[in-house]
Amino acid sequence: PGVSLTFRRWDDLLLPRKGHSLLIDVHGAWDDLLSSTSFVQAQIDGSWIHPVSSRSRLIVRGRAAANWLKEFDALPASQRFFAGGDNSIRGYDYRQVAPRDSNGDVVGGKYLQTLSVEVDRIIWRNYGLALFHDVGGASNNWLSNIVSATGLGLRWATPIGMVRADFAVPHDDPNTNFQVHIGIGGEL
């Protein structure tokens, strides 16, 4: 069982120039009621878009989440946290920024924190560029295993939302030169 609250306000659903969204979610399970373990999970997810000029916007996104439980190993993988990928930390593979087991397999973390700051600008007609910096991670200790990435994005404003191609360079992974991330749709 749980409760989730969402607050959203924007000037345009698909291509917002100004707006914000906030999601607050708290849920859990009790081992005496159809569950193999007891836990409580809380998360807050927010986005803010603000015009910088007539053709530019500032976009800030953040997420913080935590699990409270006695035995982390009993927590299902679906309730663990992972970072990396298009809507998290660009420059890293999807769900690859998280604790690993002794075999090197990603197993997820107890905590999650991410922050993204982006400035985009329409340069010509419906085409634009973006600069961004993403930071965060998933871990078993709050604010540990933090990584970051910086990148450049191409933007195309379409009637179905913004089409995004992001080229990101990870700062904390010597095995990766850059990642390409593709996305489509509204930012809120």
Side-chain angles (χ1 to χ4, degrees), residues 90 118-119 128-133 149-155 164-169 179-181:
R90 292 165 285 190
E118 177 176 322
V119 175
L129 296 173
L131 292 171
F132 60 86
H133 184 74
T150 304
L152 174 69
L154 302 175
R155 301 291 182 260
R164 299 175 296 278
D166 292 325
F167 305 88
V169 177
Q179 291 275 327
V180 178
H181 299 277

Coordinates of all heavy atoms in Angstrom, one line a residue, residues 90 118-119 128-133 149-155 164-169 179-181:
R90 N 22.8 11.1 -17.7 CA 23.2 10.8 -19.1 C 24.8 10.7 -19.1 O 25.5 11.3 -18.3 CB 22.8 12.0 -20.0 CG 21.3 12.0 -20.1 CD 20.8 13.3 -20.7 NE 20.9 14.3 -19.7 CZ 20.3 15.5 -19.9 NH1 19.7 15.9 -21.0 NH2 20.4 16.4 -18.9
E118 N 20.1 21.9 -17.1 CA 20.2 22.0 -18.6 C 19.8 23.4 -19.1 O 18.8 23.9 -18.5 CB 19.4 20.9 -19.2 CG 19.3 20.8 -20.7 CD 18.5 19.7 -21.2 OE1 18.5 18.6 -20.6 OE2 17.8 19.9 -22.2
V119 N 20.5 23.9 -20.1 CA 20.0 25.1 -20.7 C 19.9 24.7 -22.2 O 20.8 24.2 -22.8 CB 21.1 26.2 -20.6 CG1 20.6 27.4 -21.4 CG2 21.2 26.6 -19.1
G128 N 17.4 23.2 -32.1 CA 18.2 23.9 -31.1 C 19.3 23.0 -30.6 O 19.5 21.9 -31.0
L129 N 20.0 23.6 -29.6 CA 21.1 23.0 -28.9 C 20.8 23.0 -27.4 O 20.1 23.9 -26.9 CB 22.4 23.6 -29.2 CG 22.9 23.6 -30.6 CD1 24.2 24.5 -30.8 CD2 23.2 22.2 -31.0
A130 N 21.5 22.1 -26.7 CA 21.4 22.1 -25.2 C 22.7 21.8 -24.6 O 23.5 21.0 -25.2 CB 20.4 21.1 -24.7
L131 N 23.0 22.4 -23.5 CA 24.2 22.0 -22.6 C 23.6 21.5 -21.3 O 22.7 22.1 -20.8 CB 25.1 23.3 -22.4 CG 25.8 23.8 -23.6 CD1 26.5 25.1 -23.2 CD2 26.8 22.8 -24.1
F132 N 24.2 20.5 -20.8 CA 23.7 19.9 -19.5 C 24.8 19.3 -18.7 O 25.9 19.0 -19.2 CB 22.6 18.9 -19.8 CG 23.1 17.7 -20.6 CD1 23.7 16.6 -20.0 CD2 22.9 17.7 -22.0 CE1 24.1 15.5 -20.7 CE2 23.3 16.6 -22.7 CZ 23.9 15.5 -22.1
H133 N 24.5 19.2 -17.4 CA 25.4 18.6 -16.4 C 24.5 17.8 -15.5 O 23.5 18.3 -14.9 CB 26.2 19.6 -15.6 CG 27.2 19.0 -14.7 ND1 28.3 18.4 -15.1 CD2 27.2 18.8 -13.3 CE1 29.0 17.9 -14.1 NE2 28.3 18.1 -13.0
A149 N 28.3 13.7 -15.2 CA 28.5 13.7 -16.7 C 28.1 15.1 -17.2 O 27.2 15.8 -16.7 CB 27.7 12.6 -17.4
T150 N 28.7 15.5 -18.3 CA 28.4 16.7 -19.0 C 28.2 16.4 -20.5 O 28.8 15.5 -21.0 CB 29.6 17.7 -18.8 OG1 29.9 17.9 -17.4 CG2 29.3 19.1 -19.5
G151 N 27.3 17.2 -21.1 CA 27.1 16.9 -22.5 C 26.5 18.0 -23.3 O 26.1 19.1 -22.8
L152 N 26.3 17.7 -24.6 CA 25.7 18.6 -25.6 C 24.6 17.9 -26.2 O 24.7 16.7 -26.5 CB 26.7 19.0 -26.6 CG 26.3 19.8 -27.8 CD1 25.9 21.2 -27.4 CD2 27.3 19.8 -28.9
G153 N 23.4 18.6 -26.4 CA 22.3 17.9 -27.0 C 21.8 18.6 -28.2 O 21.9 19.9 -28.3
L154 N 21.2 17.9 -29.1 CA 20.5 18.4 -30.3 C 19.0 18.4 -30.0 O 18.5 17.4 -29.4 CB 20.8 17.6 -31.5 CG 22.3 17.5 -31.9 CD1 22.5 16.6 -33.1 CD2 22.9 18.9 -32.2
R155 N 18.3 19.4 -30.3 CA 16.8 19.5 -30.1 C 16.0 19.8 -31.3 O 16.5 20.6 -32.2 CB 16.5 20.6 -29.0 CG 17.3 20.4 -27.7 CD 16.7 19.2 -27.0 NE 17.3 19.0 -25.7 CZ 18.2 18.1 -25.4 NH1 18.7 17.4 -26.4 NH2 18.7 18.0 -24.2
R164 N 15.0 14.7 -28.6 CA 16.3 15.0 -28.1 C 17.3 13.9 -28.4 O 17.1 12.7 -28.3 CB 16.2 15.1 -26.5 CG 15.2 16.1 -26.0 CD 15.0 16.1 -24.5 NE 14.4 14.9 -24.0 CZ 13.1 14.6 -24.0 NH1 12.3 15.5 -24.5 NH2 12.6 13.5 -23.5
A165 N 18.5 14.4 -28.8 CA 19.7 13.5 -29.0 C 20.8 14.1 -28.1 O 21.2 15.2 -28.4 CB 20.1 13.4 -30.4
D166 N 21.2 13.4 -27.1 CA 22.2 13.9 -26.1 C 23.5 13.1 -26.2 O 23.5 11.9 -26.2 CB 21.6 13.8 -24.7 CG 20.5 14.8 -24.4 OD1 20.5 15.9 -25.0 OD2 19.6 14.4 -23.7
F167 N 24.6 13.8 -26.3 CA 25.9 13.2 -26.3 C 26.6 13.6 -25.0 O 26.9 14.8 -24.8 CB 26.7 13.8 -27.5 CG 26.0 13.5 -28.8 CD1 25.1 14.5 -29.3 CD2 26.2 12.4 -29.5 CE1 24.4 14.3 -30.5 CE2 25.5 12.2 -30.7 CZ 24.6 13.1 -31.2
A168 N 26.8 12.6 -24.1 CA 27.3 12.9 -22.8 C 28.6 12.2 -22.5 O 28.8 11.1 -22.9 CB 26.3 12.5 -21.7
V169 N 29.5 12.9 -21.8 CA 30.8 12.4 -21.4 C 30.8 12.1 -19.9 O 30.6 13.1 -19.1 CB 31.9 13.4 -21.7 CG1 33.3 12.9 -21.3 CG2 31.9 13.7 -23.2
Q179 N 28.4 8.6 -24.3 CA 27.1 7.9 -24.5 C 26.2 8.7 -25.3 O 26.2 10.0 -25.2 CB 26.4 7.6 -23.2 CG 27.1 6.6 -22.3 CD 26.8 5.1 -22.7 OE1 25.7 4.9 -23.1 NE2 27.7 4.3 -22.5
V180 N 25.4 8.1 -26.1 CA 24.3 8.8 -26.9 C 23.0 8.4 -26.3 O 22.7 7.2 -26.1 CB 24.4 8.4 -28.4 CG1 23.3 9.1 -29.1 CG2 25.7 8.8 -29.0
H181 N 22.2 9.4 -26.0 CA 20.8 9.1 -25.4 C 19.8 9.8 -26.3 O 19.9 11.0 -26.6 CB 20.7 9.7 -24.0 CG 21.7 9.0 -23.1 ND1 21.5 7.8 -22.4 CD2 22.9 9.4 -22.7 CE1 22.5 7.5 -21.7 NE2 23.4 8.5 -21.8

